[in-house]
Amino acid sequence: RLYLFAFLGYSLSGVLDACTSYGTQLFWPLSDERVAWNLIAIVDPVFTLALLAAVVVAAVKRLPRAAWAGLGFAVIYLVAGWVQQQRAEAVVRELASERGHSIERILVKPTMGNLVLWRTIYEAGDGFHVDAVRVGLASHRVYAGGSAQRVEPKRDFPRLREESTAYGDLLRFAEFSDGFLARHPERPDVIGDLRYSMTPTGLIPLWGIGLNPDRPEKHARYLVFRDLSEEERRHFWDMLIGRETE
């Protein structure tokens, strides 16, 4: 019985990873595709601490009911994440229609540690449009972000030979980022993964690569951008509680 439950827990760990906004290669080695259902954030203390508390109580008090309660909470929380995601997506699709945009791809992700504030990115034409959507119990509020042109390796880097080291790095990063490539708004030499930013409406990527077209034989530099000013912290909190922002 111990082996059975340990095996089941191990087997389901990949499914839980797929529920996050980062996902995992769920079907590896049959497929390298990263599966991300974007139901909960990569770091969600509510989900993690609730499961941890259930396991500790079940082990210390020898109460199987506590473990079942933790499992039930996890299922309900994930279902709630799916419902909130669908509500946020409906809002941003309506927003895109009002802007006259035809959505080609859309990504709706929860922000860290909650199911209320969502980062949305949709592709229309040759650009990406980033917004934040707060979905409460009966209402919603949109916080407009900005737009960024999509980076196309062949179009935007004609000087890089396809067999060069830098171009190979760029293609790998494009595959890793699922094509959500955009230039850093303050550093045009940096190509970022627009799916992730420190703020829900931000265009500054959480990570990216630095390219030098004049040195195609050199590997691209991996860069991270994790600075968050006090003003940005307040802005995030205002969006989370539904307060009007400037």
Side-chain angles (χ1 to χ4, degrees), residues 1 4 11 17 35 42 63 110 122-123 126-127 130 159 186 221 227 237:
R1 290 179 62 191
L4 173 62
S11 301
D17 283 339
V35 178
I42 302 172
L63 290 176
Y122 68 84
E123 182 180 355
D126 66 345
V130 179
R159 293 163 54 192
E186 300 170 2
R221 295 170 293 122
D227 295 332
W237 178 251

mmCIF file of all heavy atoms in Angstrom, residues 1 4 11 17 35 42 63 110 122-123 126-127 130 159 186 221 227 237:
data_model
loop_
_atom_site.group_PDB
_atom_site.id
_atom_site.type_symbol
_atom_site.label_atom_id
_atom_site.label_comp_id
_atom_site.label_asym_id
_atom_site.label_seq_id
_atom_site.Cartn_x
_atom_site.Cartn_y
_atom_site.Cartn_z
ATOM 1 N N ARG A 1 0.829 -1.216 0.000
ATOM 2 C CA ARG A 1 0.000 0.000 0.000
ATOM 3 C C ARG A 1 0.857 1.257 0.000
ATOM 4 O O ARG A 1 0.550 2.224 -0.697
ATOM 5 C CB ARG A 1 -0.912 0.010 1.228
ATOM 6 C CG ARG A 1 -2.037 -1.027 1.186
ATOM 7 C CD ARG A 1 -2.852 -0.964 2.443
ATOM 8 N NE ARG A 1 -3.492 0.333 2.595
ATOM 9 C CZ ARG A 1 -4.099 0.739 3.697
ATOM 10 N NH1 ARG A 1 -4.116 -0.051 4.764
ATOM 11 N NH2 ARG A 1 -4.682 1.909 3.748
ATOM 12 N N LEU A 4 2.161 1.743 -3.454
ATOM 13 C CA LEU A 4 1.093 2.148 -4.361
ATOM 14 C C LEU A 4 0.815 3.638 -4.246
ATOM 15 O O LEU A 4 0.759 4.358 -5.262
ATOM 16 C CB LEU A 4 -0.179 1.355 -4.054
ATOM 17 C CG LEU A 4 -1.436 1.796 -4.822
ATOM 18 C CD1 LEU A 4 -1.238 1.606 -6.315
ATOM 19 C CD2 LEU A 4 -2.661 1.033 -4.321
ATOM 20 N N SER A 11 3.429 9.850 -9.811
ATOM 21 C CA SER A 11 2.862 9.918 -11.157
ATOM 22 C C SER A 11 2.071 11.206 -11.384
ATOM 23 O O SER A 11 2.044 11.744 -12.494
ATOM 24 C CB SER A 11 1.951 8.710 -11.409
ATOM 25 O OG SER A 11 2.672 7.498 -11.276
ATOM 26 N N ASP A 17 2.349 19.923 -12.159
ATOM 27 C CA ASP A 17 3.208 20.887 -12.842
ATOM 28 C C ASP A 17 2.519 21.457 -14.075
ATOM 29 O O ASP A 17 2.661 22.637 -14.391
ATOM 30 C CB ASP A 17 4.532 20.226 -13.253
ATOM 31 C CG ASP A 17 5.479 20.054 -12.081
ATOM 32 O OD1 ASP A 17 5.314 20.765 -11.085
ATOM 33 O OD2 ASP A 17 6.382 19.198 -12.163
ATOM 34 N N VAL A 35 3.559 21.414 -21.640
ATOM 35 C CA VAL A 35 2.131 21.527 -21.371
ATOM 36 C C VAL A 35 1.933 22.452 -20.175
ATOM 37 O O VAL A 35 2.470 22.206 -19.097
ATOM 38 C CB VAL A 35 1.510 20.147 -21.076
ATOM 39 C CG1 VAL A 35 0.031 20.284 -20.747
ATOM 40 C CG2 VAL A 35 1.718 19.204 -22.259
ATOM 41 N N ILE A 42 3.022 29.609 -10.732
ATOM 42 C CA ILE A 42 4.161 28.735 -10.431
ATOM 43 C C ILE A 42 4.360 28.648 -8.923
ATOM 44 O O ILE A 42 4.627 27.575 -8.378
ATOM 45 C CB ILE A 42 5.437 29.268 -11.112
ATOM 46 C CG1 ILE A 42 5.238 29.357 -12.624
ATOM 47 C CG2 ILE A 42 6.629 28.376 -10.792
ATOM 48 C CD1 ILE A 42 6.367 30.051 -13.338
ATOM 49 N N LEU A 63 -4.963 10.926 10.993
ATOM 50 C CA LEU A 63 -6.324 11.176 10.542
ATOM 51 C C LEU A 63 -6.366 11.152 9.005
ATOM 52 O O LEU A 63 -6.035 12.154 8.353
ATOM 53 C CB LEU A 63 -6.817 12.534 11.042
ATOM 54 C CG LEU A 63 -7.084 12.673 12.542
ATOM 55 C CD1 LEU A 63 -7.460 14.107 12.881
ATOM 56 C CD2 LEU A 63 -8.196 11.719 12.964
ATOM 57 N N PRO A 110 -2.410 33.262 -14.358
ATOM 58 C CA PRO A 110 -2.589 33.870 -13.035
ATOM 59 C C PRO A 110 -1.307 34.545 -12.579
ATOM 60 O O PRO A 110 -0.207 34.119 -12.932
ATOM 61 C CB PRO A 110 -2.929 32.675 -12.145
ATOM 62 C CG PRO A 110 -2.241 31.520 -12.810
ATOM 63 C CD PRO A 110 -2.313 31.789 -14.281
ATOM 64 N N TYR A 122 -2.294 38.696 -25.887
ATOM 65 C CA TYR A 122 -2.832 38.151 -27.134
ATOM 66 C C TYR A 122 -2.044 38.707 -28.316
ATOM 67 O O TYR A 122 -1.520 39.813 -28.286
ATOM 68 C CB TYR A 122 -4.329 38.422 -27.267
ATOM 69 C CG TYR A 122 -4.748 39.855 -27.465
ATOM 70 C CD1 TYR A 122 -4.753 40.440 -28.728
ATOM 71 C CD2 TYR A 122 -5.183 40.630 -26.386
ATOM 72 C CE1 TYR A 122 -5.156 41.749 -28.919
ATOM 73 C CE2 TYR A 122 -5.601 41.935 -26.564
ATOM 74 C CZ TYR A 122 -5.578 42.488 -27.825
ATOM 75 O OH TYR A 122 -5.980 43.793 -28.019
ATOM 76 N N GLU A 123 -1.968 37.880 -29.345
ATOM 77 C CA GLU A 123 -1.250 38.241 -30.553
ATOM 78 C C GLU A 123 -2.254 38.641 -31.618
ATOM 79 O O GLU A 123 -3.222 37.930 -31.889
ATOM 80 C CB GLU A 123 -0.423 37.059 -31.031
ATOM 81 C CG GLU A 123 0.405 37.327 -32.274
ATOM 82 C CD GLU A 123 1.216 36.122 -32.702
ATOM 83 O OE1 GLU A 123 1.209 35.103 -31.975
ATOM 84 O OE2 GLU A 123 1.855 36.202 -33.768
ATOM 85 N N ASP A 126 1.180 41.686 -36.228
ATOM 86 C CA ASP A 126 2.586 41.378 -35.940
ATOM 87 C C ASP A 126 2.983 41.839 -34.542
ATOM 88 O O ASP A 126 4.165 42.058 -34.266
ATOM 89 C CB ASP A 126 3.510 42.009 -36.985
ATOM 90 C CG ASP A 126 3.482 43.532 -36.933
ATOM 91 O OD1 ASP A 126 2.555 44.088 -36.299
ATOM 92 O OD2 ASP A 126 4.381 44.169 -37.511
ATOM 93 N N GLY A 127 1.996 41.981 -33.649
ATOM 94 C CA GLY A 127 2.314 42.467 -32.315
ATOM 95 C C GLY A 127 1.601 41.717 -31.214
ATOM 96 O O GLY A 127 0.648 40.968 -31.448
ATOM 97 N N VAL A 130 -0.553 43.368 -24.095
ATOM 98 C CA VAL A 130 -0.504 42.891 -22.714
ATOM 99 C C VAL A 130 -1.455 43.707 -21.851
ATOM 100 O O VAL A 130 -1.456 44.943 -21.899
ATOM 101 C CB VAL A 130 0.929 42.989 -22.151
ATOM 102 C CG1 VAL A 130 0.967 42.504 -20.712
ATOM 103 C CG2 VAL A 130 1.903 42.190 -23.007
ATOM 104 N N ARG A 159 21.343 39.800 -40.723
ATOM 105 C CA ARG A 159 22.802 39.692 -40.761
ATOM 106 C C ARG A 159 23.310 38.420 -40.102
ATOM 107 O O ARG A 159 24.483 38.064 -40.259
ATOM 108 C CB ARG A 159 23.421 40.916 -40.062
ATOM 109 C CG ARG A 159 23.173 42.228 -40.802
ATOM 110 C CD ARG A 159 23.416 43.426 -39.913
ATOM 111 N NE ARG A 159 24.742 43.388 -39.314
ATOM 112 C CZ ARG A 159 25.115 44.188 -38.314
ATOM 113 N NH1 ARG A 159 24.255 45.065 -37.809
ATOM 114 N NH2 ARG A 159 26.332 44.099 -37.820
ATOM 115 N N GLU A 186 13.602 48.834 -23.058
ATOM 116 C CA GLU A 186 14.678 49.763 -22.742
ATOM 117 C C GLU A 186 16.027 49.300 -23.262
ATOM 118 O O GLU A 186 16.995 50.051 -23.212
ATOM 119 C CB GLU A 186 14.753 49.966 -21.222
ATOM 120 C CG GLU A 186 13.471 50.537 -20.625
ATOM 121 C CD GLU A 186 13.480 50.513 -19.107
ATOM 122 O OE1 GLU A 186 14.516 50.084 -18.529
ATOM 123 O OE2 GLU A 186 12.467 50.909 -18.490
ATOM 124 N N ARG A 221 23.883 35.957 -24.548
ATOM 125 C CA ARG A 221 23.980 36.068 -23.089
ATOM 126 C C ARG A 221 22.596 35.895 -22.476
ATOM 127 O O ARG A 221 21.641 36.539 -22.906
ATOM 128 C CB ARG A 221 24.556 37.429 -22.690
ATOM 129 C CG ARG A 221 25.987 37.659 -23.120
ATOM 130 C CD ARG A 221 26.413 39.096 -22.916
ATOM 131 N NE ARG A 221 25.685 39.999 -23.811
ATOM 132 C CZ ARG A 221 24.942 41.024 -23.413
ATOM 133 N NH1 ARG A 221 24.823 41.282 -22.113
ATOM 134 N NH2 ARG A 221 24.325 41.789 -24.281
ATOM 135 N N ASP A 227 14.185 43.120 -10.925
ATOM 136 C CA ASP A 227 14.048 44.304 -10.080
ATOM 137 C C ASP A 227 12.594 44.765 -10.070
ATOM 138 O O ASP A 227 11.914 44.783 -11.102
ATOM 139 C CB ASP A 227 14.940 45.436 -10.590
ATOM 140 C CG ASP A 227 16.419 45.093 -10.471
ATOM 141 O OD1 ASP A 227 16.747 44.302 -9.569
ATOM 142 O OD2 ASP A 227 17.217 45.594 -11.279
ATOM 143 N N TRP A 237 -0.308 45.807 -5.955
ATOM 144 C CA TRP A 237 -1.274 45.674 -4.860
ATOM 145 C C TRP A 237 -2.586 46.374 -5.203
ATOM 146 O O TRP A 237 -3.669 45.859 -4.922
ATOM 147 C CB TRP A 237 -0.680 46.240 -3.576
ATOM 148 C CG TRP A 237 -1.617 46.180 -2.410
ATOM 149 C CD1 TRP A 237 -2.248 47.233 -1.799
ATOM 150 C CD2 TRP A 237 -2.069 45.010 -1.717
ATOM 151 N NE1 TRP A 237 -3.046 46.805 -0.782
ATOM 152 C CE2 TRP A 237 -2.952 45.433 -0.702
ATOM 153 C CE3 TRP A 237 -1.798 43.653 -1.853
ATOM 154 C CZ2 TRP A 237 -3.579 44.554 0.160
ATOM 155 C CZ3 TRP A 237 -2.420 42.761 -0.986
ATOM 156 C CH2 TRP A 237 -3.301 43.207 0.003
#
